[in-house]
């Protein structure tokens, strides 16, 4: 396949995959924006609750993400039986993880207070999490089914499903947060109900689609039947992927805690900047998913040349987008920040000023984020997970987090110091992961194919 062919294949897979990722983050952003219109204290609470939820959720997605490279390799080799077994066991593990973690949402207020957060904000966050936390069950099932469909390069349903889910979530938010159309005014709890409802409907839509249009694998027939060797394989690949993603997302969650020590207005501004940066992060995660699928299928079919060329093409596409996103953040920081706040909010000028500064830092780490997330996806496609896990742990927690803490607390730079630490951690990960892929894993895998 030519370079143009690789770019076309990556785009046809990536556009709906990125669209589905954007739909996922749009649900969280719509919650944040509409709760921000309700009041600033609820905005700070949902920022805190969102970080808490995402840490647990992102670790659980490791098992769903493990399904993607395994199914891609099996599909590339034409092994339909293995495709079915891998996906089923991914469903099993995700359900088990969901049940185990539910108590953490029920007791979230006490945990947040222990971490030094404002008691009133922590109580509001718990009200949200006791409802939204139930959504971890359908959300993780969605991730497994999404990985299965992505590995088969059938991503259109993911895009259209997300396109329907976002306006539905906004409508339910409008009704339940503010109490419109005769429904009760639930505030932050209304946003939680909206998200849970959207997730439940989304998993039903994907299940029906697979049952009707992907009959080849009979995915849900005898779903109760265990395949223990495959279960172990998915688990062994999934937990380091989960920990790798947890290391990165945990760094951002830790940054939220550190900013929470600074003050309420800084926390609100930080939450807005994080939400905006999350949009570009989810697009980069789309490129990472494309890298996983394309490298996994190339390896499964024994195409060493396609593996090398495809990796270069996907990396180039991710970098080009990162440059564009950084330019948008630098050009329009104040209008972007203002979208999240009511026009009559007394703290609006102070929050916009801080948020606009943070978007400058967000623009700076776009490029390094593109390099690190794409390299992570390529390594995952080749089922290399444990070394990236160690790289992530060192980069984010031994480099990035201490840098944020030192600059914000001891040097006295406050919230900007936290964000500089994020940039340092991401840069370290980008360098080490790219070295791992291009200098170590790719030569080894191409020799194996040969």
């Amino acid at each position: 396949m030519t370079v143009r062919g690789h770019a076309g294949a990556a785009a046809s897979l990536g556009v709906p995959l990125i669209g589905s990722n954007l739909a996922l983050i749009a649900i969280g952003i719509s919650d944040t924006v509409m709760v921000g219109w309700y009041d600033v204290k609820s905005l700070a609470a949902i920022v805190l609750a969102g970080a808490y939820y995402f840490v647990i959720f992102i670790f659980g997605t490791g098992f769903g993400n493990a399904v993607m490279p395994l199914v891609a390799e099996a599909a590339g080799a034409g092994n339909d039986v293995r495709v079915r077994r891998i996906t089923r066991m991914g469903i099993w593990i995700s359900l088990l993880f969901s049940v185990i973690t539910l108590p953490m949402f029920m007791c979230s207020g006490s945990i947040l207070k222990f971490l030094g957060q404002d008691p009133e904000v922590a109580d509001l966050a718990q009200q949200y999490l006791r409802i939204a936390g139930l959504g971890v069950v359908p959300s993780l099932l969605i991730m497994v089914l999404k990985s299965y469909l992505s590995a088969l390069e059938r991503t259109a349903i993911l895009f259209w499903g997300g396109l329907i889910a976002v306006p539905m979530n906004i409508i339910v938010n409008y009704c339940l947060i503010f109490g419109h159309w005769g429904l009760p005014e639930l505030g932050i709890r209304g946003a939680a109900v909206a998200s849970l409802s959207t997730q439940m409907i989304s998993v039903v839509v994907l299940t029906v689609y697979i049952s009707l249009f992907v009959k080849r694998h009979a995915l849900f027939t005898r779903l109760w039947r265990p395949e223990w060797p495959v279960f172990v394989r998915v688990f062994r690949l999934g937990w380091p992927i989960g920990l790798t993603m947890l290391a990165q997302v945990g760094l951002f969650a830790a940054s939220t805690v550190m900013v929470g020590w600074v003050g309420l207005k800084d926390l609100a501004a930080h939450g807005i900047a994080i939400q905006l940066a999350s949009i570009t992060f989810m697009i980069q995660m789309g490129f990472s998913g494309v890298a996983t699928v394309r490298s996994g299928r190339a390896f499964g079919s024994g195409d060493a040349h396609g593996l090398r060329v495809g990796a270069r093409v996907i990396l180039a596409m991710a970098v080009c987008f990162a440059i564009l996103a950084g330019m948008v953040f630098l050009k329009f920081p104040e209008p972007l920040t203002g979208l999240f706040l009511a026009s009559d909010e007394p703290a609006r000028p102070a929050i916009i000023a801080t948020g606009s500064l943070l978007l400058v830092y967000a623009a700076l780490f776009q490029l390094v984020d593109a390099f690190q997330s794409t390299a992570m996806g390529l390594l995952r496609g080749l089922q290399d997970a444990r070394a990236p896990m160690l790289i992530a742990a060192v980069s984010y927690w031994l480099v990035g987090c201490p840098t944020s803490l030192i600059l914000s607390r001891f040097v006295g730079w406050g919230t900007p110091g936290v964000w500089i630490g994020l940039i340092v951690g991401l840069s370290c990960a980008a360098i080490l992961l790219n070295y791992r892929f291009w200098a170590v894993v790719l030569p080894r895998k191409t020799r194996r194919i040969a």
Side-chain angles (χ1 to χ4, degrees), residues 27 142 161-162 165 168 197-207:
I27 292 173
I142 289 169
M168 182 179 70
S197 303
T198 302
Q199 291 155 353
M200 293 293 293
I201 293 171
S202 296
V203 76
V204 170
V205 168
L206 288 181
T207 301

Side-chain angles (χ1 to χ4, degrees), residues 310-340:
R312 295 189 187 104
V313 169
I314 295 167
L315 179 60
M317 294 171 70
V319 168
C320 288
F321 171 78
I323 293 171
L324 179 62
M327 292 171 63
V328 171
F329 284 164
L330 291 173
K331 184 69 175 177
F332 307 106
E334 292 185 6
L336 290 171
T337 306
L339 291 173
F340 291 76

Side-chain angles (χ1 to χ4, degrees), residues 93-305:
I93 297 173
S94 295
L95 284 173
L96 288 171
F97 178 86
S98 301
V99 172
I100 291 170
T101 55
L102 281 176
M104 297 179 67
F105 295 105
M106 301 301 109
C107 305
S108 54
S110 300
I111 296 172
L112 291 171
K113 291 173 187 175
F114 176 76
L115 293 173
Q117 300 305 301
D118 179 86
E120 192 172 352
V121 174
D123 288 336
L124 279 172
Q126 180 174 263
Q127 291 180 30
Y128 177 87
L129 288 167
R130 283 186 168 176
I131 301 170
L134 300 173
V136 75
V137 178
S139 293
L140 292 180
L141 292 179
I142 289 169
M143 291 303 300
V144 175
L145 300 179
K146 180 179 175 180
S147 293
Y148 163 75
L149 291 169
S150 298
L152 300 179
E153 301 191 1
R154 302 189 62 155
T155 52
I157 181 61
L158 303 177
F159 174 77
W160 292 109
L163 205 63
I164 295 169
V166 174
M168 182 179 70
N169 186 74
I170 291 172
I171 292 170
V172 180
N173 269 340
Y174 176 78
C175 295
L176 294 180
I177 292 174
F178 304 99
H180 293 302
W181 299 350
L183 293 170
E185 180 183 336
L186 299 178
I188 194 171
R189 290 176 297 151
V193 172
S195 296
L196 178 60
S197 303
T198 302
Q199 291 155 353
M200 293 293 293
I201 293 171
S202 296
V203 76
V204 170
V205 168
L206 288 181
T207 301
V208 170
Y209 173 83
I210 292 169
S211 300
L212 294 178
F213 300 106
V214 197
K215 298 179 180 180
R216 177 179 178 181
H217 299 123
L219 193 60
F220 303 112
T221 303
R222 294 189 297 277
L223 183 61
W224 51 267
R225 184 176 178 179
E227 301 283 351
W228 295 117
V230 180
F231 182 99
V232 171
R233 188 178 180 192
V234 174
F235 180 82
R236 290 182 63 184
L237 181 61
W239 73 261
I241 292 176
L243 285 178
T244 301
M245 300 180 71
L246 181 62
Q248 181 173 2
V249 173
L251 173 64
F252 284 88
S255 73
T256 300
V257 172
M258 286 186 271
V259 174
W261 297 335
V262 177
L264 182 64
K265 293 177 183 178
D266 277 63
L267 181 59
H270 170 80
I272 292 170
I274 284 288
Q275 287 284 0
L276 291 168
S278 296
I279 298 173
T280 57
F281 172 72
M282 294 307 285
I283 294 174
Q284 292 296 349
M285 287 294 290
F287 285 118
S288 181
V290 173
T292 298
V293 173
R294 298 296 299 168
S295 61
R297 291 182 74 95
F299 180 65
S301 61
D303 183 5
H305 176 73

Side-chain angles (χ1 to χ4, degrees), residues 402-427:
T403 303
S404 290
L405 183 61
I406 291 169
L407 293 180
S408 63
R409 297 278 286 184
F410 300 108
V411 177
W413 289 0
T415 303
V418 173
W419 279 69
I420 292 172
L422 297 179
I423 297 171
V424 172
L426 288 170
S427 300

